[in-house]
Amino acid sequence: MPAVSKGDGMRGLAVFISDIRNCKSKEAEIKRINKELANIRSKFKGDKALDGYSKKKYVCKLLFIFLLGHDIDFGHMEAVNLLSSNRYTEKQIGYLFISVLVNSNSELIRLINNAIKNDLASRNPTFMGLALHCIASVGSREMAEAFAGEIPKVLVAGDTMDSVKQSAALCLLRLYRTSPDLVPMGDWTSRVVHLLNDQHLGVVTAATSLITTLAQKNPEEFKTSVSLAVSRLSRIVTSASTDLQDYTYYFVPAPWLSVKLLRLLQCYPPPDPAVRGRLTECLETILNKAQEPPKSKKVQHSNAKNAVLFEAISLIIHHDSEPNLLVRACNQLGQFLQHRETNLRYLALESMCTLASSEFSHEAVKTHIDTVINALKTERDVSVRQRAADLLYAMCDRSNAKQIVSEMLRYLETADYAIREEIVLKVAILAEKYAVDYSWYVDTILNLIRIAGDYVSEEVWYRVLQIVTNRDDVQGYAAKTVFEALQAPACHENMVKVGGYILGEFGNLIAGDPRSSPPVQFSLLHSKFHLCSVATRALLLSTYIKFINLFPETKATIQAVLRAGSQLRNADVELQQRAVEYLTLSSVASTDVLATVLEEMPPFPERESSILAKLKRKKGPGAGSALDDGRRDPSSNDINGGVEPTPSTVSTPSPSADLLGLRAAPPPAAPPASAGAGNLLVDVFDGPAAQPSLGPTPEEAFLSELEPPAPESPMALLADPAPAADPGPEDIGPPIPEADELLNKFVCKNNGVLFENQLLQIGVKSEFRQNLGRMYLFYGNKTSVQFQNFSPTVVHPGDLQTQLAVQTKRVAAQVDGGAQVQQVLNIECLRDFLTPPLLSVRFRYGGTPQALTLKLPVTINKFFQPTEMAAQDFFQRWKQLSLPQQEAQKIFKANHPMDAEVTKAKLLGFGSALLDNVDPNPENFVGAGIIQTKALQVGCLLRLEPNAQAQMYRLTLRTSKEPVSRHLCELLAQQF
Amino acid sequence: MQFMLLFSRQGKLRLQKWYVPLSDKEKKKITRELVQTVLARKPKMCSFLEWRDLKIVYKRYASLYFCCAIEDQDNELITLEIIHRYVELLDKYFGSVCELDIIFNFEKAYFILDEFLLGGEVQETSKKNVLKAIEQADLLQEPWMHSVLRE
């Protein structure tokens, strides 16, 4: 029977809950619930007005039913009625129901907001509290619209009670998270910062969360919080364990607040020297306390203490500037690696992962390698083992790569299925990255296929083929090794694919050995043929035709295989077609033609590893960071850098190509239109694809990926000419030749004439704020004749769709002679992007169709937000962005007179702040800003050094994202 | 914090609090998946796990599991102590709390949670202050409320 029911008991509710608990079966429970629902419904519908108590009771029952997992589709109105009750308990239940059950139902939200408004205005702290709790729980956009302006006032008003302040702070935080655009920054922000000094620690605790979230987006506005947070923290960590009374938790002074303050400090770079000294003292005190004997044996004591310690270590890693602290942090984590508490071992492994990427502590982390390997072998909890594997990956460098790779391979044999694919990717990346000799690399990848063939994704085995193709010193070894691997009676299909491909290319390198003579190679491969999937068999057929070229002596045998009914009349159209085409090719083509068509693959262009991209996708951003952004070994860049086919090598479009993940973008669908058109032109054709004549299969895509760009590739020769697809309505032409030049005019300005010819003038006015922009396009008809079917559209080539959202309004289809129409574009930058959207304008002028494609003047720098900073901060950040791939530099001749004022104006127009007194040379320009996108922010620093004598400039950009640095550098360099 | 779930060893959900907007369907799916995952773990295992792009922190008290989902930057250990502080608050309020108290007085469990955590962040860590707020509310008698409102 019911346990205590404090406060206001609702007997009916307790009885109902007991009934439910006494139900013997699910059916009985549902029956009882339906009975109750019918009862409540009739009460709500009944003629007799319900009193507040009954309403409260029934609403509470509905809530309980909902929490049991049933849907509730009525009662909302009654709950809303309760909100305006004068009885606290009724109001409270009403609010609870709304918080748990209401999603944005527009009709109700208006009523709810009304009730909330009344309670906020009541000046009754308990009612205000309820209202604020409700806003913080629902947090919908409608609520933000209604209250985001009001709550800051409540928060900073002098007469607001402490408990209301606390609720108001967190309520505002919730609204800011859902609708940052609706929370206006203003005078209140500085007063909020001063809440860090408040007497009441509860107020400080709530305010710190709010400030942290706001500071992440508006660092300038809240930078005074740094010194306040440090002094608050310093007072806490030096206080005796009883000083803070009820805010001391198991002898740890204010652990929640300490963690929050340390979190807040992670929004900023290391502070100025004076504050910095105090902060360092705090951090040292926290590290020292970790060494003291515990004040209590309770796990709560050690958890709270270590929570602060781990947050302090995060801050130390974030600053990454005090070698002494970093090494101490590393030693502390080293102790935790062997702690008997599993939780601490887990966190130490996790935290060390980030420590491994700091140049100061990388070596210190490496000393723990044996402990970590041991953890990988002996930990009983898979999530801890996973952390150990992550750490090994992060601490790997040239000196320990062989050991780590072999341990991970060994682990793979028994690893949990859930993490095998990830381990495979990591091994593949490490093996490639730190390969000193490529035979080791080839061995490692083949081992991967042997041990965990099912988990070796296509990226991995494509990659080994690319690398072998590009490096002739390993080709012979690779051929020999795959040949041996294929001897195994049962080998994984991925092994057959790799083997088939490599022998088809380089089988000749081992043909001299009678044990691997051409006929032996062929029969070995063919012995696997019938057990393989269609895709692999298709690949093997390509290998066979290559064999005919490499080894004329196998021609008869292979032709017999191709001619066999099982191939020529294969039910699978792809296999059939290959058999037919290859057979014909081998019979009709002369040796010379055959040799040209089947020539060895050309090297692949160097690119970022597609495996790395895959790992990032799997783990979310930052996963590959240890290798990718971290200490990249510059010496290994050139030889170990990625190889990947460029879009221009793709000869046959295939919808399945994307599955291969070799490229992030879908394959361009057009034939290489004109020489020198480059990527952009190809991108433009992206969209309605001309159907390839060959049925697209994964295999087809594979071949097309790897096939050389030569027009005389076998597929192109033999395939029926692809029917030219009708240009769809969305098909647009390439940008006009001057498009780039016109675009460049708008890099540093927002308004002007974008285009003009005898018929048409297009003007632009635009404004950008944060990651949003609005653009007005003015189309002027310069003739006296009406334009008809006038339709300007914006097109996102390639990946741009995911990077930039442009909403356009339709314009009238007729533009009278001499008239002007206006089009509004709403632009949102989702993430960093490199190519501008295209603007396609079509219309009929006197019966002739006119079409024109321009580049819309939206470049990444439009989303710059200037950042002012002191010289010291600038150099600190400049130093933090010192990895070679974060920097882009250009030295170029001045195209315009070198005038300092003009240069300044251009840099400001570009969007960055200009920082004075930073560069020791006053001739130079230094700037800083943040590129705001929805997904991320990219900090950018720039430096422009004019050399008047030589009429040259040197421009250097540093950002946290490699493509952004390069792109900004190119954009800006064209302006001078 | 993105959400907190309380569920029994039998997998019955006792309390749910969401700090991010999700559809009911999504909430049910997450709950089902997480309850399964957590119940499958052995007693000595660590209290943290990666799940989707979140970190899960959980702890069992008698028959009840307390399970929080936090973001990548959040502190696991302090979250573990958020759970413990909440258990202490329940315990103090109900007087050696058990699962039944939470079943029969689920609304109180919500009120206490709202005083302690708001919008997914710790609002007040002092046990005294949280309980004072709740007990004051319990004491509010209707006639008195009327007089307040009439003033």
Side-chain angles (χ1 to χ4, degrees), chain A residues 438-473:
Chain A
Y438 277 86
S439 51
W440 174 70
Y441 168 74
V442 170
D443 285 343
T444 305
I445 301 296
L446 294 186
N447 263 329
L448 272 183
I449 297 176
R450 238 193 306 268
I451 296 168
D454 284 344
Y455 297 89
V456 172
S457 58
E458 283 160 331
E459 285 87 348
V460 173
W461 65 264
Y462 284 3
R463 191 81 183 140
V464 71
L465 297 183
Q466 292 170 357
I467 286 176
V468 169
T469 307
N470 282 19
R471 301 199 54 87
D472 45 19
D473 55 342

Side-chain angles (χ1 to χ4, degrees), chain A residues 88-383:
Chain A
Y88 178 76
T89 53
E90 288 169 15
K91 197 186 267 293
Q92 198 184 22
I93 293 294
Y95 272 124
L96 179 61
F97 185 92
I98 304 292
S99 308
V100 175
L101 245 129
V102 167
N103 21 36
S104 9
N105 178 325
S106 58
E107 184 55 24
L108 278 177
I109 283 285
R110 205 172 44 80
L111 294 172
I112 295 167
N113 280 356
N114 236 346
I116 291 177
K117 202 166 282 169
N118 290 337
D119 281 334
L120 279 183
S122 71
R123 306 187 62 78
N124 173 331
T126 2
F127 285 11
M128 290 171 86
L130 283 181
L132 290 168
H133 287 185
C134 182
I135 302 175
S137 290
V138 179
S140 64
R141 197 163 169 87
E142 290 87 346
M143 285 196 172
E145 275 163 6
F147 304 111
E150 178 65 21
I151 295 173
K153 292 182 205 148
V154 176
L155 176 58
V156 298
D159 57 347
T160 305
M161 298 240 317
D162 287 333
S163 65
V164 176
K165 265 189 209 162
Q166 287 166 273
S167 301
L170 294 178
C171 192
L172 191 56
L173 164 61
R174 174 71 198 265
L175 294 184
Y176 187 78
R177 279 194 186 139
T178 25
S179 322
D181 52 316
L182 294 179
V183 178
M185 295 293 129
D187 294 345
W188 59 274
T189 54
S190 61
R191 301 179 64 180
V192 166
V193 172
H194 278 96
L195 290 179
L196 288 174
N197 268 337
D198 203 280
Q199 299 253 313
H200 190 289
L201 279 190
V203 172
V204 186
T205 306
T208 309
S209 292
L210 173 64
I211 295 167
T212 305
T213 306
L214 294 173
Q216 278 161 358
K217 285 265 173 78
N218 317 278
E220 273 308 298
E221 199 118 12
F222 291 89
K223 65 180 178 199
T224 47
S225 63
V226 172
S227 62
L228 293 179
V230 170
S231 39
R232 186 51 108 171
L233 183 67
S234 153
R235 267 178 284 160
I236 295 172
V237 297
T238 53
S239 66
S241 55
T242 51
D243 284 359
L244 303 177
Q245 295 167 350
D246 212 28
Y247 289 92
T248 297
Y249 179 82
Y250 292 87
F251 303 100
V252 183
W256 283 281
L257 179 53
S258 307
V259 167
K260 285 186 181 189
L261 290 168
L262 289 162
R263 220 12 233 294
L264 168 59
L265 292 171
Q266 287 170 61
C267 302
Y268 290 93
D272 302 335
V275 181
R276 192 176 185 162
R278 268 181 100 183
L279 178 59
T280 305
E281 267 172 40
C282 286
L283 296 172
E284 275 168 351
T285 312
I286 294 170
L287 285 167
N288 290 341
K289 279 190 181 171
Q291 296 300 323
E292 290 170 9
K295 293 199 173 72
S296 155
K297 284 214 167 88
K298 288 253 166 61
V299 68
Q300 282 76 28
H301 171 69
S302 78
N303 279 351
K305 190 164 123 177
N306 291 327
V308 178
L309 175 63
F310 274 105
E311 206 59 55
I313 291 177
S314 294
L315 180 61
I316 293 170
I317 296 171
H318 169 78
H319 284 170
D320 197 15
S321 59
E322 301 263 357
N324 175 34
L325 288 177
L326 280 161
V327 170
R328 279 193 71 183
C330 186
N331 292 339
Q332 183 60 55
L333 294 177
Q335 288 181 20
F336 284 152
L337 283 183
Q338 317 226 28
H339 203 278
R340 60 186 167 75
E341 277 269 333
T342 316
N343 287 346
L344 286 181
R345 295 199 301 277
Y346 176 95
L347 294 175
L349 289 166
E350 185 185 62
S351 196
M352 249 192 201
C353 251
T354 38
L355 214 44
S357 53
S358 163
E359 55 176 317
F360 300 117
S361 49
H362 180 71
E363 287 305 313
V365 171
K366 273 169 63 185
T367 59
H368 299 288
I369 185 167
D370 292 331
T371 319
V372 182
I373 287 173
N374 198 40
L376 190 64
K377 287 178 177 160
T378 58
E379 281 290 350
R380 281 153 63 188
D381 185 344
V382 51
S383 36

Side-chain angles (χ1 to χ4, degrees), chain A residues 2-6 8 10 14 17-18 21 60 63-64 67 69 71 86-89 92-93 96 124 127 133 136-137 166-167 170 173-174 177 200 202 205 209 246-247 249-250 255-256 259-260 263 300 303 306-307 310-311 342-343 346-347 350 381 383 387 619, chain B residues 12 14 16-17 19-21 28 41 44-50 55 59 73-78 80-82 84-85 88 93-94 100-101 103-108 110-111 114-115 118-119 121-129 137-138 140 142 145-146 148-149:
Chain A
V4 280
S5 182
K6 295 186 89 167
D8 55 312
M10 282 176 281
I17 296 177
S18 301
R21 286 182 53 74
C60 220
L63 193 52
F64 182 78
L67 292 173
D71 294 332
N86 291 333
R87 290 159 208 255
Y88 178 76
T89 53
Q92 198 184 22
I93 293 294
L96 179 61
N124 173 331
F127 285 11
H133 287 185
S137 290
Q166 287 166 273
S167 301
L170 294 178
L173 164 61
R174 174 71 198 265
R177 279 194 186 139
H200 190 289
T205 306
S209 292
D246 212 28
Y247 289 92
Y249 179 82
Y250 292 87
W256 283 281
V259 167
K260 285 186 181 189
R263 220 12 233 294
Q300 282 76 28
N303 279 351
N306 291 327
F310 274 105
E311 206 59 55
T342 316
N343 287 346
Y346 176 95
L347 294 175
E350 185 185 62
D381 185 344
S383 36
R387 288 283 84 83
K619 292 281 283 182
Chain B
K12 285 216 185 247
R14 296 303 183 202
Q16 45 174 323
K17 185 80 195 180
Y19 299 108
V20 284
K28 277 188 183 163
R41 290 177 62 86
K44 283 281 169 193
M45 285 186 164
C46 91
S47 312
F48 320 124
L49 53 129
E50 275 188 342
K55 301 197 282 197
K59 190 164 180 178
Q73 295 293 309
D74 292 335
N75 188 310
E76 290 98 335
L77 283 175
I78 208 73
L80 209 48
E81 294 317 299
I82 286 180
H84 187 75
R85 175 55 34 126
E88 285 185 350
Y93 180 77
F94 288 109
L100 277 184
D101 292 317
I103 296 172
F104 280 96
N105 302 285
F106 68 94
E107 78 283 11
K108 295 286 180 217
Y110 271 109
F111 298 148
D114 279 349
E115 288 295 333
L118 195 60
E121 301 283 338
V122 175
Q123 171 172 230
E124 177 55 85
T125 68
S126 155
K127 218 180 344 186
K128 264 190 218 145
N129 289 353
D138 280 344
L140 285 184
E142 272 85 51
M145 290 304 306
H146 281 300
V148 168
L149 283 164

